[in-house]
Amino acid sequence: MTDLSTVKAALKAQSIETPSWAYGNSGTRFKVFAQAGVPRTPQEKIDDAARVHEFTAAAPSVALHIPWDRTDDYPALAAHAAGQGVRLGVINSNVFQDDDYKLGSVTHPDPKIRRKATDHLLECVDIMDATGSRDLKLWFSDGTNYPGQDDIADRQGRLGDALAEVYERLGDDQRMLLEYKLFEPAFYATDVPDWGTAYAHCLKLGPKAQVVVDTGHHAPGTNIEFIVATLLREGKLGGFDFNSRFYADDDLMAGAADPFQLFRIMYEVVRGGGLAAETGVAFMLDQCHNIEAKIPAIIRSVMNVQEATAKALLVDPVALRAAQQAGEVLEANAVLMDAYNTDVRPLLREVREEQGIDPDPIAAYKRSGWADHIVAERVGGTQAGWGA
Amino acid sequence: MTDLSTVKAALKAQSIETPSWAYGNSGTRFKVFAQAGVPRTPQEKIDDAARVHEFTAAAPSVALHIPWDRTDDYPALAAHAAGQGVRLGVINSNVFQDDDYKLGSVTHPDPKIRRKATDHLLECVDIMDATGSRDLKLWFSDGTNYPGQDDIADRQGRLGDALAEVYERLGDDQRMLLEYKLFEPAFYATDVPDWGTAYAHCLKLGPKAQVVVDTGHHAPGTNIEFIVATLLREGKLGGFDFNSRFYADDDLMAGAADPFQLFRIMYEVVRGGGLAAETGVAFMLDQCHNIEAKIPAIIRSVMNVQEATAKALLVDPVALRAAQQAGEVLEANAVLMDAYNTDVRPLLREVREEQGIDPDPIAAYKRSGWADHIVAERVGGTQAGWGA
Amino acid sequence: MTDLSTVKAALKAQSIETPSWAYGNSGTRFKVFAQAGVPRTPQEKIDDAARVHEFTAAAPSVALHIPWDRTDDYPALAAHAAGQGVRLGVINSNVFQDDDYKLGSVTHPDPKIRRKATDHLLECVDIMDATGSRDLKLWFSDGTNYPGQDDIADRQGRLGDALAEVYERLGDDQRMLLEYKLFEPAFYATDVPDWGTAYAHCLKLGPKAQVVVDTGHHAPGTNIEFIVATLLREGKLGGFDFNSRFYADDDLMAGAADPFQLFRIMYEVVRGGGLAAETGVAFMLDQCHNIEAKIPAIIRSVMNVQEATAKALLVDPVALRAAQQAGEVLEANAVLMDAYNTDVRPLLREVREEQGIDPDPIAAYKRSGWADHIVAERVGGTQAGWGA
Amino acid sequence: MTDLSTVKAALKAQSIETPSWAYGNSGTRFKVFAQAGVPRTPQEKIDDAARVHEFTAAAPSVALHIPWDRTDDYPALAAHAAGQGVRLGVINSNVFQDDDYKLGSVTHPDPKIRRKATDHLLECVDIMDATGSRDLKLWFSDGTNYPGQDDIADRQGRLGDALAEVYERLGDDQRMLLEYKLFEPAFYATDVPDWGTAYAHCLKLGPKAQVVVDTGHHAPGTNIEFIVATLLREGKLGGFDFNSRFYADDDLMAGAADPFQLFRIMYEVVRGGGLAAETGVAFMLDQCHNIEAKIPAIIRSVMNVQEATAKALLVDPVALRAAQQAGEVLEANAVLMDAYNTDVRPLLREVREEQGIDPDPIAAYKRSGWADHIVAERVGGTQAGWGA
């Protein structure tokens, strides 16, 4: 039997980092629909992220994306965040939007382009020093669109060289999180397409290199929780970029497309000890709110991760283990499903009340007037977006 | 045994329409890499398309996209095309880039937005009258991103109403080509997601409504040639948007990702009589050349369709039928593969020489100096793109 | 606000038919693991099915599979069922296990084989007359493994001919349910691969021909509830073969792999009026319990369908419609999710108590001793299976 | 420019191992269609395999499958093979057909079952000693069908223990080839589902453990040649199980479904030096000829691999590298496509004539009378099959 106070304590301890770029405009290649009230500056993104934390008590940090959030005074940005009740989180590099990167960044055939890209990654570590961020998250759009376009094996070599150089630059308490993605924007061969490739590189680099799992970056049918369990077991799970998808990298709200999958993932995290702070597993969102209001969508996503976590924590480990050991297929499945089928929203309301916040974050946000405030205040200037 | 002069005649008769937008910039949500020399105007797109026809003798028409190619004098545009040796082709509507269409166009819950969208479609028929275009191609990005967002069945009703109104407006020699697409930009439920939906609507509308098959718009594993054979048999195959994909709607060059699939598709076209002009099957490209030079990529795509067609024409129908009737699996497959494994490039070189053009279109284009010419001439102004 | 008594009434009225073959042995091409106590005869299958109904009050009929359940006295079989408290349901034809059908049944290139296959289908209608079954369910394994093996369009013609002949044979109150499947056992081109093909045939045949949706028979990423909504709107949804899958046609317990999908499907059924008896939508299971105990797995599956139905019935249609009409994406989605996140197990326990059965069907079945009984009694003879 | 004599030499040096089980009956869970003339004994399988080698000069070895090919005198079996002009190849273990393995073999929760399974693997090494086989190929059907059924991480631990024990038993010149597969027969979580898992285990085991790539064992959209290039670069590519698929693990003839993919795979093999004997890359077939005649299907598969290899060898490495280095996307792709579009059948006919065999293996096999011979001779007894 699971102890409810332990469950509550675990839920209170869980932090879910929100990404600065999710507060800005986003869309597809067909259209970016701008929304009124969207931030114009990193500071305004942080202000929005602070509202998510204010109403959930679960999102105390904001991930930055360089150059989208570049500033000439990171300590001031960190102070701004602190003033809002949040802190700066993971630094995300961007080596996919400069014209030079048309054929790749750290895997480009031209060493000058590779140098430029690696220098950007090193700059990101400088920024980490300035912001106090622990983690550098690396996602590479590198890849090829046509068979023969470039040499697959050579590109792995170039990638390995760049990663090694950046790894050397990391401080003692800093980590490199390497993200993989099946496709998009590369449409033939992506240079880090799967967890195996990311794992192989991280293994060579050393303990400060870890794999990050973006839940939208897999081939159809991939069992993501298997990857999570395996990486945790190998000590190589650096964290998650949560979002959800029906088709490709749809970047919908976490838990919106397949809440059962999110539960299964969180179960493996709980099972593998990944909720413990010392494992360093980072829970992050990476989403695009193309047509829905951004702040409440992010609040909903945080709540969805919490609900999945709560259900995972409710799985009775003793009963489950007993049924598994006895080879009782239906009974073991039933133990898991019993937790999944539980409505954990009352429990989470209790947790929030114990944390001193409104039990209904969405309603509280709506009542706060922030949505109207930003529409009224954020007039003029250039709205933040992906800059594509 | 297939008669070679018949094959050559069929190849000379095949026309492949190129899309005006493929000459402009395109990209992904991550980045549009602009290319030097890209057209600024519909006229310049037509000029580029004319080069493709000049060097292939197989691409005599250019599809327009409204509003990207909107002009206040379509007869003048048609005259410009004629002056370049090509003609205006299919009119493609666009009801996905106006801010009003965030939640749909003809399926939007708000009747005012639906009215606006339908009016645009009707305007496209006006343009067809002005350009002499036979076909209106309809692709709707309409759909929803989240379960519950809107009512799936109601949206079908709204779609049917709009299609019926536009159908009524068509002239006697005009057609409506309805395109389907599994996903993107809608990530939960697309309103015309598959050939069945498009077919059901076209059947209700009448003989001037036909289905168009975009080879990149299917779920993984879909047997596209089965759809082609079925639609041809039902008299409902309006045409193709050719491109190729490894993953989703990658919009790579036709024949680049799976040349055997393109051959199988063209075999079903040949088998079903779809090369005959009277069937009205339109062969069109719909591609994005995000990282490669656009004009030679389109020339290559036209050549790839020609090569697939040539191989399809080389299939020995008598031997194939005999093996099929006898239930000889390996022999029947071998007849098909024998044609596919044939190198038809010498045959196509002969065809081109008989048509009075250079047997090597890519080399001829390179020698023509057009690439340098457009880079030098097209300076300033706004390059054409998707306008997203 | 949804009225709870209406919800309960709808749940009590819902019947879920279980398939006779699910009580027998099944497996993969790699291995069929026999289970102790498995039925040897159609009568014993019916006995097991009666236990499912006894403990769920929701599974009053059993589908038969011919020739697996062939008998020389169908009235006696029907009487046996009645004696057990259940009735005979849909008749499933089988034209895939005779050696003659290696290259197809009704689509075979040889007219003698087609004749034999069609005769079997006609025999199934005779059996329907004898059993009083309303529905003939047709699934064809027909297709080809290699490109060129047979003519895709010709096979459609042969299929249409056979269907028309069987349709003519149907009585006034009998229906033909045509099932589609993407692949397996055909690995290149299946002759009824998707709902569009089944729909096109049913439309030509007439009102007694309807499409049946097997939830495991789609390409990855297919939005099944869209198909359900569309077929219901067109009056062509004959029913469901429920099961669940992570990869292909895995035939796992309904609701086991993606309970949210099952809920979305049932929501579209409710929304489209498909729970009403007059629409004739048949709710059937079609599953394989390869490694788990069969009877409790089927009880669990029935309960899973009930839970999905209960959640679908709890969706507040007024609130949903209001949010949809207002274009409030998050609010509309939240209405749906609120129902999905509700734990409906207490409600279903109440329903069962009101029906006079144990609120916990699994526990009641375990206590009943039936599992031990059949292991002890069913010794010797040949266990039922697929006969492959 | 590629030197033709080098190409020919490489083609003559390539050996493709055929699997004993492909000569026996196979099918799907729906039906196994027996074929006349199918072998009844390992000796007869070897006789058939010898015909494939006789007519292709490219298939000098036969893989065995234990227990399907179990005998009490392996030296005699090896002598029989030698007498037929072939030799015994890889030993394939089978821990999926015993009733004990319903819930797993080396990953089973019960240590007694794990012991039994590991003992079988050790027995296979004994057989390797007796046959002189170099490689032990391990494919595990192990996995779970339902979430919660067993502990994912624990199963990895059990798997690792068993592999380590078998690894220790290997002789100095023996290898362990670990195969991965996405799904089937496990439908939720397969224990070795992807190359990353296989790679991680092989890395821990040591240099005698290598990954084997079955071309039908991936998720839709997986870029197999990327995996091949990566494993080759890491020195961990043990070999291939060739076959082809449109959907899942269809096990069709190699090159039948996507000949361009097979070419791209072989290009990466050539590029990575994998044709050289010292790399130890084993080229094997693993196919099911469910509806087509088996021996000619295997001959055709061998020829398809040869044709893909020939095309890969024809890629001009200097021109390709130059275009890649220059970032010329279309030119680089064109170099690859030029080789692919070449009809290499005349070249292979020359190679065969130089090897002293008929240039047309299929025709020669047909003329040989072997097909009639085995139908006439192999009467009575039990045909070989999978024994499922």
Side-chain angles (χ1 to χ4, degrees):
Chain A
M1 192 52 72
T2 317
D3 176 50
L4 219 54
S5 65
T6 310
V7 170
K8 285 183 177 177
L11 289 168
K12 289 172 190 168
Q14 188 183 33
S15 293
I16 299 154
E17 181 161 306
T18 71
S20 70
W21 56 97
Y23 299 96
N25 288 319
S26 62
T28 69
R29 60 176 171 148
F30 294 100
K31 173 71 175 170
V32 174
F33 293 101
Q35 296 189 11
V38 151
R40 283 92 38 99
T41 63
Q43 285 77 10
E44 289 181 351
K45 295 181 196 174
I46 289 169
D47 295 348
D48 287 359
R51 299 293 79 69
V52 174
H53 185 51
E54 175 184 350
F55 296 112
T56 62
S61 62
V62 196
L64 299 186
H65 201 287
I66 308 299
W68 297 341
D69 297 319
R70 188 173 274 153
T71 170
D72 49 12
D73 189 347
Y74 290 100
L77 194 67
H80 177 86
Q84 291 286 324
V86 291
R87 66 171 187 277
L88 304 183
V90 173
I91 300 300
N92 288 262
S93 61
N94 176 326
V95 283
F96 54 86
Q97 285 197 323
D98 191 289
D99 282 332
D100 279 341
Y101 300 143
K102 187 166 75 167
L103 303 181
S105 65
V106 295
T107 68
H108 196 288
D110 182 341
K112 289 194 302 294
I113 309 290
R114 298 202 295 272
R115 184 69 259 151
K116 173 176 172 169
T118 307
D119 283 345
H120 171 73
L121 304 184
L122 296 171
E123 178 205 356
C124 286
V125 186
D126 294 341
I127 294 172
M128 292 165 68
D129 291 341
T131 58
S133 301
R134 180 188 60 175
D135 294 337
L136 173 66
K137 179 138 61 75
L138 300 175
W139 172 65
F140 297 102
S141 70
D142 293 56
T144 53
N145 275 8
Y146 290 101
Q149 178 187 326
D150 199 4
D151 190 87
I152 291 173
D154 282 356
R155 291 175 78 97
Q156 287 299 308
R158 297 169 199 153
L159 171 64
D161 291 345
L163 292 175
E165 185 176 346
V166 177
Y167 188 87
E168 284 308 304
R169 168 68 184 80
L170 292 173
D172 287 346
D173 297 327
Q174 292 177 333
R175 303 191 308 175
M176 168 190 288
L177 303 182
L178 183 55
E179 190 163 334
Y180 58 91
K181 183 176 185 181
L182 180 66
F183 79 100
E184 195 214 18
F187 292 131
Y188 166 58
T190 298
D191 292 320
V192 190
D194 53 21
W195 79 268
T197 306
Y199 171 79
H201 280 286
C202 287
L203 209 60
K204 288 179 189 168
L205 291 167
K208 291 188 283 187
Q210 303 261 307
V211 180
V212 64
V213 174
D214 183 303
T215 49
H217 287 188
H218 303 84
T222 302
N223 184 323
I224 300 174
E225 60 267 30
F226 175 89
I227 297 172
V228 170
T230 300
L231 286 173
L232 256 178
R233 192 174 169 273
E234 300 287 334
K236 279 294 181 193
L237 180 65
F240 291 95
D241 267 4
F242 286 121
N243 52 60
S244 73
R245 53 79 69 95
F246 287 97
Y247 303 98
D249 187 27
D250 306 341
D251 279 334
L252 301 175
M253 297 187 295
D258 190 345
F260 184 44
Q261 183 189 60
L262 183 57
F263 160 74
R264 298 194 310 264
I265 289 170
M266 287 311 307
Y267 169 70
E268 294 301 335
V269 170
V270 170
R271 160 64 182 86
L275 282 186
E278 60 270 24
T279 61
V281 176
F283 301 98
M284 302 172 281
L285 301 180
D286 183 5
Q287 308 183 151
C288 292
H289 309 293
N290 297 347
I291 60 167
E292 69 272 23
K294 293 164 194 300
I295 299 172
I298 296 169
I299 292 174
R300 169 62 60 203
S301 305
V302 168
M303 293 170 69
N304 285 348
V305 174
Q306 289 184 300
E307 291 176 19
T309 306
K311 292 180 177 196
L313 287 161
L314 289 178
V315 174
D316 181 335
V318 176
L320 182 63
R321 174 57 52 112
Q324 289 174 341
Q325 286 294 316
E328 295 184 336
V329 176
L330 290 169
E331 286 72 8
N333 177 245
V335 172
L336 202 78
M337 296 311 294
D338 184 41
Y340 178 68
N341 286 323
T342 301
D343 189 344
V344 293
R345 294 175 298 174
L347 171 67
L348 279 158
R349 280 193 282 267
E350 277 182 44
V351 165
R352 290 188 191 106
E353 284 174 339
E354 292 172 16
Q355 290 177 302
I357 62 168
D358 193 293
D360 185 339
I362 294 282
Y365 170 73
K366 285 187 182 169
R367 281 197 312 272
S368 76
W370 184 258
D372 290 338
H373 166 73
I374 56 178
V375 168
E377 292 295 315
R378 295 176 182 169
V379 176
T382 302
Q383 292 190 319
W386 285 25
Chain B
M1 193 50 71
T2 318
D3 175 51
L4 219 55
S5 65
T6 310
V7 171
K8 284 183 177 177
L11 290 168
K12 289 172 189 169
Q14 187 183 34
S15 292
I16 299 154
E17 183 161 304
T18 71
S20 71
W21 56 95
Y23 300 96
N25 288 320
S26 62
T28 70
R29 60 176 170 147
F30 294 100
K31 173 72 176 170
V32 174
F33 292 101
Q35 296 190 10
V38 152
R40 284 90 41 99
T41 64
Q43 286 76 8
E44 289 182 351
K45 295 180 195 173
I46 290 169
D47 296 347
D48 287 358
R51 297 295 78 68
V52 173
H53 185 50
E54 176 184 349
F55 296 113
T56 63
S61 62
V62 195
L64 298 186
H65 201 285
I66 308 300
W68 297 340
D69 297 318
R70 188 172 274 151
T71 170
D72 51 12
D73 190 348
Y74 290 100
L77 194 67
H80 178 85
Q84 291 285 325
V86 292
R87 66 173 188 276
L88 304 183
V90 174
I91 300 299
N92 290 260
S93 61
N94 176 326
V95 283
F96 54 87
Q97 287 198 323
D98 190 288
D99 282 333
D100 279 341
Y101 300 144
K102 186 166 76 167
L103 303 181
S105 66
V106 294
T107 67
H108 197 286
D110 183 341
K112 290 194 302 294
I113 308 291
R114 298 203 293 273
R115 183 69 259 150
K116 172 175 172 170
T118 307
D119 284 343
H120 171 73
L121 304 184
L122 295 171
E123 177 206 357
C124 286
V125 186
D126 294 340
I127 293 172
M128 291 164 69
D129 290 341
T131 57
S133 299
R134 180 187 63 174
D135 294 337
L136 173 65
K137 179 138 62 75
L138 300 175
W139 171 65
F140 297 102
S141 70
D142 291 56
T144 52
N145 275 7
Y146 290 101
Q149 178 188 325
D150 199 4
D151 191 87
I152 290 173
D154 282 355
R155 292 175 77 96
Q156 287 300 307
R158 299 169 198 153
L159 172 65
D161 291 345
L163 292 176
E165 185 176 345
V166 177
Y167 189 87
E168 283 309 303
R169 169 64 184 81
L170 291 173
D172 287 346
D173 297 327
Q174 291 176 333
R175 303 191 307 174
M176 168 191 288
L177 303 182
L178 184 55
E179 189 163 333
Y180 57 91
K181 183 176 183 181
L182 180 66
F183 80 99
E184 195 213 19
F187 292 130
Y188 166 59
T190 298
D191 291 321
V192 190
D194 53 21
W195 79 266
T197 305
Y199 171 80
H201 280 286
C202 287
L203 210 59
K204 288 179 188 168
L205 290 167
K208 291 187 284 188
Q210 303 262 307
V211 180
V212 65
V213 175
D214 183 305
T215 48
H217 287 189
H218 303 84
T222 302
N223 184 323
I224 300 175
E225 59 267 30
F226 175 89
I227 297 172
V228 170
T230 300
L231 286 172
L232 255 178
R233 193 174 167 274
E234 300 287 335
K236 279 293 181 195
L237 180 64
F240 291 94
D241 268 4
F242 284 122
N243 53 60
S244 71
R245 53 80 72 92
F246 287 97
Y247 303 97
D249 188 27
D250 307 341
D251 279 333
L252 302 176
M253 298 188 294
D258 190 347
F260 183 45
Q261 183 188 59
L262 184 57
F263 160 75
R264 299 193 309 264
I265 290 171
M266 288 311 306
Y267 169 72
E268 294 301 334
V269 170
V270 169
R271 160 66 183 85
L275 282 187
E278 60 270 23
T279 60
V281 176
F283 301 97
M284 301 171 283
L285 300 180
D286 183 6
Q287 307 183 152
C288 293
H289 308 293
N290 297 348
I291 60 167
E292 68 272 24
K294 293 163 195 300
I295 299 173
I298 297 170
I299 293 174
R300 170 62 60 202
S301 304
V302 168
M303 294 170 69
N304 285 349
V305 175
Q306 289 183 301
E307 291 175 20
T309 305
K311 291 180 177 195
L313 288 161
L314 288 179
V315 174
D316 182 338
V318 176
L320 182 62
R321 175 55 53 113
Q324 289 175 340
Q325 286 294 315
E328 295 184 335
V329 176
L330 290 170
E331 286 72 8
N333 177 246
V335 172
L336 203 79
M337 296 312 293
D338 184 40
Y340 178 68
N341 286 323
T342 302
D343 189 345
V344 293
R345 294 175 298 174
L347 171 67
L348 279 159
R349 281 194 281 268
E350 276 183 45
V351 165
R352 291 188 190 107
E353 284 174 339
E354 291 173 16
Q355 290 176 302
I357 63 169
D358 193 293
D360 184 340
I362 294 283
Y365 171 73
K366 284 187 181 169
R367 280 197 311 273
S368 76
W370 184 258
D372 290 339
H373 166 74
I374 57 179
V375 168
E377 291 294 315
R378 295 174 183 170
V379 175
T382 303
Q383 291 191 321
W386 285 25
Chain C
M1 192 52 71
T2 317
D3 176 51
L4 219 55
S5 65
T6 311
V7 171
K8 285 183 177 176
L11 289 169
K12 289 171 190 168
Q14 187 183 34
S15 292
I16 299 153
E17 182 161 305
T18 71
S20 71
W21 56 96
Y23 300 96
N25 288 320
S26 62
T28 68
R29 61 175 169 148
F30 294 100
K31 173 73 175 170
V32 174
F33 293 100
Q35 296 189 10
V38 151
R40 284 90 40 101
T41 64
Q43 286 77 9
E44 289 182 351
K45 295 181 196 174
I46 289 169
D47 296 346
D48 287 357
R51 298 294 78 69
V52 174
H53 185 50
E54 176 184 349
F55 296 112
T56 63
S61 64
V62 195
L64 299 185
H65 202 285
I66 308 300
W68 297 341
D69 297 318
R70 188 173 274 151
T71 169
D72 49 12
D73 190 346
Y74 290 100
L77 194 66
H80 178 85
Q84 292 285 325
V86 293
R87 65 173 189 276
L88 304 182
V90 174
I91 301 300
N92 290 262
S93 61
N94 177 326
V95 283
F96 55 86
Q97 286 197 325
D98 191 288
D99 281 333
D100 279 342
Y101 299 143
K102 186 166 77 168
L103 303 181
S105 66
V106 296
T107 67
H108 197 286
D110 183 341
K112 290 194 301 294
I113 310 290
R114 297 202 295 272
R115 184 70 259 151
K116 172 176 173 172
T118 307
D119 284 343
H120 171 73
L121 304 185
L122 296 171
E123 178 206 356
C124 286
V125 186
D126 294 340
I127 293 171
M128 291 164 68
D129 290 341
T131 57
S133 300
R134 180 187 61 173
D135 294 336
L136 173 65
K137 180 138 60 76
L138 301 175
W139 171 66
F140 297 102
S141 71
D142 291 56
T144 52
N145 276 7
Y146 290 100
Q149 178 187 327
D150 199 3
D151 190 88
I152 291 174
D154 282 356
R155 291 175 78 95
Q156 287 299 308
R158 297 169 200 153
L159 171 65
D161 291 346
L163 292 175
E165 185 176 345
V166 177
Y167 189 87
E168 284 308 304
R169 168 66 184 81
L170 292 173
D172 287 346
D173 297 326
Q174 291 177 334
R175 304 190 306 174
M176 168 192 287
L177 303 182
L178 183 55
E179 190 163 334
Y180 57 91
K181 183 177 184 180
L182 180 66
F183 79 100
E184 196 214 16
F187 292 131
Y188 166 58
T190 298
D191 291 322
V192 190
D194 53 22
W195 79 267
T197 305
Y199 171 81
H201 280 287
C202 287
L203 208 60
K204 288 180 188 168
L205 291 166
K208 292 188 283 189
Q210 303 261 308
V211 180
V212 65
V213 175
D214 183 305
T215 48
H217 286 189
H218 302 84
T222 301
N223 184 323
I224 299 175
E225 60 267 30
F226 175 89
I227 297 172
V228 170
T230 300
L231 286 172
L232 255 179
R233 192 173 169 273
E234 301 286 335
K236 279 293 182 195
L237 180 64
F240 291 94
D241 268 5
F242 286 121
N243 52 60
S244 71
R245 51 80 70 94
F246 287 97
Y247 303 97
D249 188 27
D250 306 342
D251 279 334
L252 302 176
M253 297 188 294
D258 190 346
F260 184 45
Q261 183 189 58
L262 183 57
F263 160 75
R264 298 192 312 263
I265 289 170
M266 288 311 306
Y267 169 71
E268 294 301 335
V269 170
V270 170
R271 160 64 183 87
L275 282 187
E278 60 270 24
T279 60
V281 177
F283 301 98
M284 302 171 282
L285 300 180
D286 183 6
Q287 307 182 154
C288 292
H289 308 293
N290 297 347
I291 61 167
E292 69 271 23
K294 293 164 195 300
I295 298 173
I298 297 169
I299 293 175
R300 171 61 61 202
S301 305
V302 169
M303 294 170 70
N304 284 349
V305 175
Q306 289 183 299
E307 291 175 20
T309 305
K311 292 180 178 196
L313 287 161
L314 288 179
V315 174
D316 182 337
V318 176
L320 183 62
R321 175 55 53 110
Q324 289 175 341
Q325 287 293 317
E328 294 183 336
V329 176
L330 290 170
E331 286 72 9
N333 176 247
V335 172
L336 202 79
M337 296 311 293
D338 184 40
Y340 178 67
N341 286 323
T342 302
D343 188 343
V344 294
R345 293 175 300 172
L347 171 67
L348 279 159
R349 280 193 282 267
E350 277 182 44
V351 165
R352 290 189 190 106
E353 284 173 340
E354 292 172 16
Q355 291 176 304
I357 62 168
D358 193 293
D360 184 340
I362 294 282
Y365 171 73
K366 285 187 181 169
R367 281 197 310 273
S368 75
W370 185 257
D372 290 338
H373 166 74
I374 56 178
V375 168
E377 291 296 314
R378 296 176 183 168
V379 175
T382 303
Q383 291 191 319
W386 284 24
Chain D
M1 193 52 73
T2 318
D3 176 51
L4 220 54
S5 65
T6 312
V7 170
K8 285 183 176 177
L11 290 168
K12 289 172 191 168
Q14 187 183 34
S15 293
I16 299 155
E17 183 161 304
T18 72
S20 70
W21 56 96
Y23 299 96
N25 287 320
S26 62
T28 70
R29 59 177 172 148
F30 295 100
K31 174 71 176 171
V32 173
F33 293 101
Q35 296 189 10
V38 151
R40 284 93 37 102
T41 62
Q43 286 76 9
E44 289 182 351
K45 296 180 195 174
I46 290 169
D47 295 347
D48 287 358
R51 298 293 79 69
V52 174
H53 185 50
E54 175 184 350
F55 296 113
T56 62
S61 63
V62 196
L64 299 186
H65 201 287
I66 308 301
W68 297 341
D69 297 318
R70 188 173 274 152
T71 171
D72 49 11
D73 190 347
Y74 290 100
L77 194 66
H80 178 85
Q84 291 286 325
V86 292
R87 66 174 187 275
L88 305 182
V90 174
I91 300 300
N92 289 261
S93 61
N94 175 327
V95 283
F96 54 87
Q97 287 197 324
D98 190 290
D99 282 333
D100 279 341
Y101 300 143
K102 187 166 76 166
L103 303 181
S105 65
V106 294
T107 67
H108 197 287
D110 182 340
K112 289 194 301 295
I113 309 291
R114 297 203 294 273
R115 183 70 259 150
K116 173 176 172 171
T118 306
D119 283 344
H120 171 73
L121 304 184
L122 295 171
E123 178 207 355
C124 285
V125 186
D126 294 340
I127 294 172
M128 292 165 69
D129 291 341
T131 58
S133 300
R134 180 188 62 175
D135 294 337
L136 173 65
K137 178 138 60 74
L138 301 175
W139 171 66
F140 298 101
S141 70
D142 291 55
T144 53
N145 275 7
Y146 290 101
Q149 178 187 325
D150 199 4
D151 191 87
I152 291 174
D154 281 355
R155 291 175 78 96
Q156 288 299 308
R158 298 169 199 153
L159 172 64
D161 291 346
L163 292 176
E165 185 176 345
V166 178
Y167 189 87
E168 284 307 305
R169 169 65 183 81
L170 292 174
D172 288 345
D173 298 326
Q174 292 176 333
R175 303 191 307 174
M176 168 191 288
L177 303 182
L178 183 55
E179 190 163 333
Y180 57 92
K181 184 178 183 181
L182 180 65
F183 79 100
E184 194 213 19
F187 292 131
Y188 165 59
T190 299
D191 291 321
V192 190
D194 54 21
W195 79 266
T197 306
Y199 170 81
H201 280 287
C202 287
L203 209 60
K204 288 178 188 169
L205 290 166
K208 291 188 283 187
Q210 303 261 309
V211 180
V212 64
V213 175
D214 183 304
T215 50
H217 286 189
H218 303 84
T222 302
N223 184 323
I224 300 175
E225 60 267 30
F226 175 90
I227 297 171
V228 170
T230 300
L231 285 173
L232 255 178
R233 192 174 168 273
E234 301 286 335
K236 279 294 182 193
L237 180 65
F240 291 94
D241 267 6
F242 285 121
N243 52 61
S244 71
R245 52 80 69 95
F246 287 97
Y247 304 98
D249 188 27
D250 306 342
D251 279 333
L252 302 175
M253 297 187 295
D258 190 346
F260 183 44
Q261 183 188 59
L262 184 57
F263 160 75
R264 298 193 312 263
I265 289 171
M266 287 311 306
Y267 168 71
E268 295 300 335
V269 170
V270 169
R271 160 64 182 85
L275 282 187
E278 61 271 23
T279 61
V281 176
F283 301 98
M284 302 171 282
L285 301 180
D286 183 5
Q287 308 183 151
C288 292
H289 308 293
N290 297 347
I291 61 167
E292 70 271 23
K294 293 165 196 299
I295 299 172
I298 297 169
I299 293 174
R300 169 62 61 204
S301 305
V302 168
M303 292 170 71
N304 285 349
V305 175
Q306 289 183 300
E307 291 175 20
T309 306
K311 291 180 178 197
L313 287 162
L314 288 178
V315 174
D316 181 337
V318 176
L320 182 62
R321 175 54 54 109
Q324 289 175 340
Q325 287 293 317
E328 295 184 335
V329 176
L330 291 170
E331 286 71 8
N333 176 247
V335 172
L336 202 78
M337 296 311 293
D338 184 41
Y340 179 68
N341 286 323
T342 302
D343 189 344
V344 295
R345 293 175 299 173
L347 171 67
L348 279 159
R349 280 194 281 269
E350 277 182 44
V351 165
R352 290 187 192 107
E353 284 174 339
E354 292 173 16
Q355 290 177 303
I357 63 169
D358 193 294
D360 184 341
I362 295 282
Y365 171 73
K366 286 186 181 168
R367 280 197 312 271
S368 76
W370 184 258
D372 290 338
H373 165 75
I374 56 178
V375 168
E377 292 294 315
R378 295 175 182 170
V379 175
T382 303
Q383 291 190 320
W386 284 25

